[in-house]
Amino acid sequence: MTDNDFVAKAGTVDVVEGEVSWKAPSNIALVKYWGKKPEQIPANPSISFTLNNCATTTTVKFSKLENKKEDFSFDFFFEGEPKPDFIAKIHTFFERIVGYCPFLKAYHFEIRTANTFPHSSGIASSASGMAALASCLMDIESKLNPGIEEDHFYKKASFLARLGSGSACRSIKGNLVQWGSHENISGSTDLFGISYPYKVHPVFEDYQDTILLVHQGQKKVSSTVGHGLMKDHLYASQRFNQAKENLNKLKEVFEEGDLKGFIEIVESEALSLHAMMMTSLPYFMLMKPNTLEIIEALWAFREKSGLHLCFTLDAGANVHVLYPSREKEEVYQFIKETLLAYCENGKHICDQLGNGAVRINKTEH
């Protein structure tokens, strides 16, 4: 497929106004995407677990304008309040996608969104947010063109979400999603995320993710800036090759249910991501002292217990503790007794694999 396959056809139904609402989850990358080319194209392929509880719900009310405008007409509310800081981001997103969704200038939109988790704290709120908004826009497009097939709906939703936030394309479907062209993964593309096409052992189908909220404040360096610093990074090419090779290794790991191999790849990927941050120019560090304390305690417990918990990190200080469901009782007991002491006020989120974006109402007029 090419970009042109996602250009919307002229609407066949005249819709004056309506309302759509979608809920989309965040995701946690196992093989990390860090660095991008123009048009939100990833510098390396990635793969992620789609989460379930860490999600964004977005409702879009739309009403047809008497005259099509030169610019976009929308109001934006985050958790019930106007959020001027988000206006520019939504406007940039609309500018990127208007060629694929020309109806954007024909309507006024009231966009209301809310998260189930702290914004800008290392949980991918941009991923869930853009995935939810892209799903809403595709819902509107399907009202204008009722013949849109389900497969195209979800592919284009992922395509649009990517243009808002790269990792958002991995939040449309679940529960294991690969994004980025890879010569050994059938159907992989830079344009949108795909459900992982190969055999996955049952042990990975109900994996748990307990997210330890080490730091809930605004990150000092945004992911957008961090991605940009990969452009001239001394170790960029080696890092991109590492990600591709780890995807090769994961094929056997997923098929065989190799938990030891999974742990090695996932933890090295997390540390590689932060190593790239610490060796860019300018360099920066998003981990906090308690991030390291958690990692050390987790390693010690894993060696002592023989259980298969591991950690990963997103672009922030918070720690995702991943473990198979069959070990949930013992691992969560350890988390409560030992690791919560390193979180802000003991705050954490218990999550697990989910199935991606879902429509939560069909109200229309």
Side-chain angles (χ1 to χ4, degrees):
M1 297 184 74
T2 69
D3 294 33
N4 290 333
D5 293 309
F6 296 113
V7 176
K9 297 177 181 177
T12 59
V13 176
D14 183 27
V15 181
V16 176
E17 61 181 11
E19 177 181 322
V20 295
S21 188
W22 281 73
K23 180 179 181 180
S26 185
N27 65 77
I28 181 63
L30 308 173
V31 171
K32 307 295 184 180
Y33 139 67
W34 199 242
K36 57 188 174 183
K37 304 171 187 177
E39 305 299 323
Q40 296 287 94
I41 298 299
N44 68 269
S46 60
I47 193 166
S48 61
F49 278 154
T50 309
L51 298 180
N52 185 66
N53 301 334
C54 290
T56 299
T57 297
T58 297
T59 297
V60 178
K61 293 182 179 179
F62 56 100
S63 54
K64 196 167 188 179
L65 300 166
E66 289 189 12
N67 298 298
K68 198 171 182 179
K69 289 199 170 186
E70 288 299 314
D71 203 359
F72 307 107
S73 176
F74 66 92
D75 298 312
F76 183 83
F77 300 86
F78 178 68
E79 298 185 347
E81 300 293 334
K83 198 73 172 180
D85 294 352
F86 283 37
I87 295 295
K89 187 168 186 177
I90 300 298
H91 193 276
T92 298
F93 176 51
F94 280 5
E95 285 183 323
R96 289 175 179 172
I97 68 171
V98 67
Y100 308 103
C101 303
F103 64 84
L104 286 175
K105 290 188 175 180
Y107 290 86
H108 173 77
F109 301 95
E110 180 186 286
I111 305 167
R112 293 183 177 272
T113 189
N115 293 340
T116 61
F117 57 94
H119 174 70
S120 293
S121 60
I123 304 170
S125 58
S126 59
S128 57
M130 286 300 176
L133 179 54
S135 298
C136 286
L137 296 178
M138 279 308 299
D139 204 343
I140 295 170
E141 183 175 325
S142 69
K143 296 180 188 307
L144 300 173
N145 289 286
I148 292 176
E149 295 181 357
E150 183 178 354
D151 181 64
H152 181 79
F153 181 105
Y154 285 106
K155 283 180 178 177
K156 184 170 177 179
S158 181
F159 173 84
L160 296 176
R162 187 200 93 234
L163 293 173
S165 173
S167 60
C169 75
R170 299 191 310 242
S171 282
I172 297 296
K173 299 290 278 185
N175 53 9
L176 187 60
V177 177
Q178 195 271 330
W179 170 44
S181 181
H182 191 292
E183 60 183 5
N184 295 327
I185 299 180
S186 176
S188 63
T189 172
D190 291 337
L191 298 181
F192 51 85
I194 63 168
S195 295
Y196 190 66
Y198 302 117
K199 181 180 177 182
V200 178
H201 191 279
V203 74
F204 294 114
E205 292 178 356
D206 58 356
Y207 237 66
Q208 305 294 301
D209 180 6
T210 299
I211 306 160
L212 306 180
L213 301 180
V214 173
H215 179 66
Q216 297 184 79
Q218 187 83 16
K219 293 182 293 185
K220 291 183 179 179
V221 178
S222 71
S223 294
T224 299
V225 172
H227 281 294
L229 294 176
M230 287 295 287
K231 184 177 180 182
D232 299 313
H233 200 294
L234 181 63
Y235 306 125
S237 61
Q238 294 95 323
R239 165 59 202 146
F240 301 149
N241 288 334
Q242 178 194 31
K244 292 174 185 176
E245 183 55 30
N246 279 337
L247 277 164
N248 285 332
K249 293 177 181 177
L250 275 175
K251 186 175 181 181
E252 184 175 351
V253 165
F254 284 138
E255 184 173 347
E256 300 297 328
D258 179 4
L259 294 178
K260 182 179 178 182
F262 177 81
I263 288 169
E264 289 177 352
I265 291 170
V266 168
E267 291 191 342
S268 68
E269 277 285 321
L271 294 173
S272 294
L273 170 67
H274 283 261
M276 299 309 285
M277 298 174 189
M278 290 187 279
T279 52
S280 62
L281 287 175
Y283 41 81
F284 61 101
M285 186 181 298
L286 296 183
M287 287 189 284
K288 300 292 183 182
N290 280 1
T291 306
L292 300 177
E293 293 282 1
I294 288 169
I295 292 171
E296 292 280 4
L298 185 153
W299 281 342
F301 176 75
R302 186 170 69 211
E303 184 175 358
K304 178 181 178 181
S305 67
L307 297 174
H308 297 91
L309 69 165
C310 68
F311 75 89
T312 190
L313 308 167
D314 223 327
N318 297 332
V319 181
H320 292 248
V321 183
L322 304 176
Y323 49 97
S325 181
R326 68 193 186 196
E327 298 177 359
K328 180 177 180 179
E329 185 175 342
E330 298 130 302
V331 171
Y332 188 58
Q333 188 65 30
F334 160 69
I335 290 171
K336 289 192 295 183
E337 292 178 353
T338 304
L339 300 187
L340 295 190
Y342 300 110
C343 301
E344 285 190 357
N345 302 314
K347 289 186 178 179
H348 64 294
I349 300 170
C350 292
D351 213 332
Q352 59 191 9
L353 268 67
N355 294 316
V358 291
R359 181 188 286 110
I360 58 177
N361 73 43
K362 293 186 177 182
T363 304
E364 63 183 57
H365 304 284

